[in-house]
Amino acid sequence: MKVNAPISDQKIMDYGLPKRSSRPETKRARTANQRIPKWAYLLFILLAGFVTFRIYQHRATEVKAAQPAPRPADVAKVITKDVPLYLDEIGTCAAYETVQMPAQVSGVIIGRHFQDGSEVKKGDLLFTIDPRPFQAVLDQAKAQAELDEVTLKRQEDLRARKVVAQQDYDIALANAQKSKAATEAAQVNLDFCFIKSPINGRIGLRNVDVGNLVGPSSSTLVTIQGLDPIYTDFTVAENDLPLVRKYLGGPNVKVETYLADGSITPRVGDLYFIDYAVQPGSGTVKARGVTPNPDRSLWPSEFVLVRFILDTLKDATLVPSQAVQISQAGPFVFVVKSDNTVELRPVTPGQRQQGDLTVIEKGVKPDETVVVTGQLALAPGAKIAPQPYAPDGTADSKSAMSYE
């Protein structure tokens, strides 16, 4: 009972005291809240938003500064067009026709009717040999032929009246025929006094002058060469023969001839001849093309570049040759994506074509964009500032390789 006494006393004391009221404290809190105006809360929110914006702006600037600037690069579209399949060779030109003009009768040259190195046409008079001796022989032959013709007619009348022997008639007939043949021979010799060009071509340097005595045993008077068309002679390597045999006889086989300095437009001609035997020692096969030469820009024995066209590749894929780079893994190009970043793409290049283009057999598709210059500063995923590629250094709106 004594143990519980304090507890009871405490309870009695607690119940005996008056209870504390919480209302004054609530009123003070309400009073404090009413003292902070609403615009202060708005100002705090605005300040917090501004600080947050500045922090994000600063971080974005740091990230942008850390990223490298886009690299400038010239780019071009991948195109498709028909291009030739060819072999490049070295050859020489040869005259299509070469005529050495001799004297066919003996006599003194009394006239020269051409300028050395000039163009001549078929039938143009070149030299005149003194025709007087041959004219005299012709006149004599004609007189004898007339006499024999009269004798033959007389024998025919006598034979009709049966007063002449058959033998006399046969002799008269033979004499008439012989005189006619002699007349024709004399006429031919007289014609040989007037030496004319048998072809169209360019005449060389004459070997004789007026006053020289010439004859069938004399040296050539002058040489004429036909230059339009002209032959293009070249050789094909033995290793290329399987490819040549595959397309030989096809409709697209052509021979393109041009000069190394590019001074003339390439001339496209037909294949005229190809040998069917490999030359011992050289391992090559002789070939010859016929090339148009209307302006006489190609001369005999001149060295030329030859493109032996075997076939036409339809819709071949082409890029500028500078776009193709070589690495340890092989040829590749940088392909530009829609966001101006680049992708390294392995490719299989083919032959180079006119206009500094290269055929791509595998690796890119038409209308894709490739980097042409500036590859050394690029890596996969790098961003570029693309510029249109102009092969000649100037913008060309008509160029098929322009970047759009």
Side-chain angles (χ1 to χ4, degrees):
M1 293 299 290
K2 290 182 180 181
V3 175
N4 294 334
I7 298 176
S8 300
D9 293 341
Q10 183 66 33
K11 288 182 179 180
I12 294 171
M13 292 176 64
D14 291 340
Y15 286 117
L17 293 175
K19 296 182 178 179
R20 296 179 181 179
S21 176
S22 61
R23 290 182 179 179
E25 295 178 359
T26 305
K27 290 181 179 180
R28 284 195 298 269
R30 290 178 179 177
T31 303
N33 291 338
Q34 290 177 354
R35 291 177 182 176
I36 300 175
K38 294 182 179 180
W39 61 266
Y41 290 104
L42 181 61
L43 178 61
F44 176 77
I45 294 173
L46 291 176
L47 289 174
F50 177 75
V51 171
T52 303
F53 171 76
R54 291 293 297 174
I55 291 173
Y56 279 108
Q57 187 180 34
H58 180 69
R59 290 182 178 178
T61 304
E62 290 180 347
V63 172
K64 186 176 181 181
Q67 293 178 350
R71 301 282 186 176
D74 291 342
V75 298
K77 290 282 189 180
V78 179
I79 66 170
T80 59
K81 69 175 182 177
D82 297 346
V83 294
L85 174 66
Y86 63 88
L87 298 174
D88 279 338
E89 310 290 350
I90 298 176
T92 57
C93 291
Y96 188 75
E97 297 174 298
T98 300
V99 179
Q100 296 179 347
M101 301 299 299
Q104 295 177 276
V105 293
S106 297
V108 177
I109 294 178
I110 63 172
R112 175 175 63 88
H113 311 284
F114 65 90
Q115 180 67 34
D116 294 341
S118 63
E119 294 285 337
V120 295
K121 295 182 178 181
K122 183 178 181 179
D124 286 354
L125 183 61
L126 304 179
F127 292 101
T128 300
I129 297 175
D130 188 359
R132 292 175 297 176
F134 302 96
Q135 183 66 54
V137 173
L138 176 61
D139 294 340
Q140 182 179 1
K142 286 182 177 180
Q144 185 63 42
E146 291 177 359
L147 177 60
D148 292 339
E149 188 68 25
V150 171
T151 303
L152 178 59
K153 289 182 180 180
R154 185 179 300 113
Q155 291 294 328
E156 288 177 349
D157 293 340
L158 295 175
R159 182 188 178 195
R161 289 181 290 175
K162 298 181 180 181
V163 294
V164 67
Q166 181 66 31
Q167 182 178 2
D168 294 338
Y169 172 77
D170 293 339
I171 293 174
L173 179 60
N175 289 336
Q177 293 176 345
K178 185 170 61 174
S179 299
K180 182 179 179 181
T183 302
E184 293 175 352
Q187 183 64 58
V188 170
N189 289 332
L190 179 61
D191 293 340
F192 284 156
C193 293
F194 305 94
I195 301 175
K196 299 180 181 180
S197 174
I199 62 170
N200 297 330
R202 179 171 293 174
I203 199 164
L205 186 66
R206 67 187 186 277
N207 296 323
V208 295
D209 290 311
V210 175
N212 283 274
L213 178 64
V214 296
S217 60
S218 302
S219 60
T220 301
L221 305 182
V222 73
T223 300
I224 305 174
Q225 292 183 323
L227 302 182
D228 183 28
I230 196 169
Y231 286 132
T232 299
D233 294 332
F234 60 99
T235 58
V236 177
E238 184 177 1
N239 295 337
D240 295 326
L241 286 181
L243 182 63
V244 172
R245 282 195 291 261
K246 180 179 178 181
Y247 296 99
L248 195 61
N252 297 323
V253 176
K254 299 291 182 182
V255 177
E256 187 177 84
T257 305
Y258 56 100
L259 297 178
D261 60 0
S263 58
I264 66 171
T265 304
R267 313 287 174 86
V268 179
D270 296 323
L271 180 66
Y272 173 75
F273 164 80
I274 185 167
D275 203 354
Y276 288 95
V278 178
Q279 299 297 312
S282 64
T284 58
V285 174
K286 294 181 179 180
R288 167 173 281 187
V290 179
T291 305
N293 191 31
D295 56 355
R296 310 300 194 273
S297 295
L298 300 175
W299 289 7
S301 301
E302 182 178 17
F303 281 96
V304 293
L305 299 180
V306 180
R307 177 160 289 183
F308 187 20
I309 300 174
L310 302 175
D311 199 10
T312 300
L313 302 177
K314 298 292 185 179
D315 296 327
T317 303
L318 300 169
V319 299
S321 299
Q322 290 180 261
V324 182
Q325 301 293 303
I326 304 296
S327 68
Q328 293 181 350
F332 70 92
V333 297
F334 281 112
V335 178
V336 183
K337 297 181 179 180
S338 58
D339 59 353
N340 286 341
T341 59
V342 297
E343 172 192 355
L344 190 149
R345 188 88 57 82
V347 295
T348 303
Q351 289 183 319
R352 296 188 66 164
Q353 300 292 332
Q354 188 175 6
D356 196 26
L357 303 177
T358 296
V359 175
I360 302 298
E361 299 176 355
K362 183 180 179 182
V364 295
K365 298 178 181 179
D367 293 331
E368 286 187 319
T369 303
V370 296
V371 177
V372 182
T373 63
Q375 295 96 327
L376 294 178
L378 300 180
K383 196 165 187 177
I384 64 170
Q387 296 293 330
Y389 170 66
D392 56 355
T394 59
D396 185 0
S397 61
K398 296 182 180 180
S399 175
M401 299 302 300
S402 62
Y403 172 75
E404 300 176 358

